[in-house]
Amino acid sequence: MSNPKRPAAVLALAQGHTTGQAAKTAGVSSRTILRWLEDDDFRQEISETRTELLRAAVGRLAAAATLAVDTLMDALTTEKGQARVQAAKVILESTMALRESLDLEERIAAIEAADRDRTR
């Protein structure tokens, strides 16, 4: 039977919190978190949650990328707005980097899933 506090721990760990922070967030002991981390299903939940968080971030960056491109195009005809141009460049670079990271995360998850299926 799954502990109802596990989802809070999964989310905290997927967001990069330490085991101690995740334990405090979930309202359990650090020892419980360490025990849960021994479970393949729990670790898989963390991985899947992290992928979903990355996917959401990519979506938000993609939306911002449209505005960033508009800013760059506007900068072609105006002399002002260097800070806006810099922000647009950072958004576009971040979008590409995070997208690559998400692609790799999904590929690794698929390979791990295939490996688990093979070993069962």
Side-chain angles (χ1 to χ4, degrees):
M1 179 174 183
S2 182
N3 186 312
K5 296 182 177 187
R6 280 176 62 135
V10 166
L11 180 59
L13 291 168
Q15 292 173 329
H17 294 281
T18 65
T19 55
Q21 292 166 330
K24 186 175 181 181
T25 298
V28 298
S29 70
S30 294
R31 187 177 186 143
T32 297
I33 297 290
L34 292 174
R35 189 176 65 249
W36 287 346
L37 282 168
E38 294 174 4
D39 178 26
D40 290 339
D41 290 338
F42 183 73
R43 288 194 314 275
Q44 182 65 28
E45 286 179 56
I46 294 167
S47 178
E48 289 170 1
T49 300
R50 185 175 292 127
T51 298
E52 286 305 313
L53 290 171
L54 283 171
R55 188 174 283 120
V58 167
R60 293 187 68 202
L61 281 171
T66 301
L67 182 58
V69 170
D70 291 343
T71 298
L72 291 172
M73 291 177 67
D74 183 52
L76 292 172
T77 58
T78 62
E79 294 180 21
K80 297 180 182 179
Q82 185 60 31
R84 290 178 62 211
V85 169
Q86 185 61 32
K89 287 172 57 178
V90 169
I91 287 171
L92 292 172
E93 290 167 359
S94 297
T95 300
M96 296 306 295
L98 196 51
R99 179 68 201 171
E100 289 173 7
S101 176
L102 181 59
D103 286 346
L104 287 174
E105 182 86 21
E106 289 173 344
R107 287 179 182 183
I108 290 169
I111 290 168
E112 288 174 345
D115 187 50
R116 275 194 309 277
D117 289 345
R118 241 190 3 244
T119 58
R120 287 185 181 173

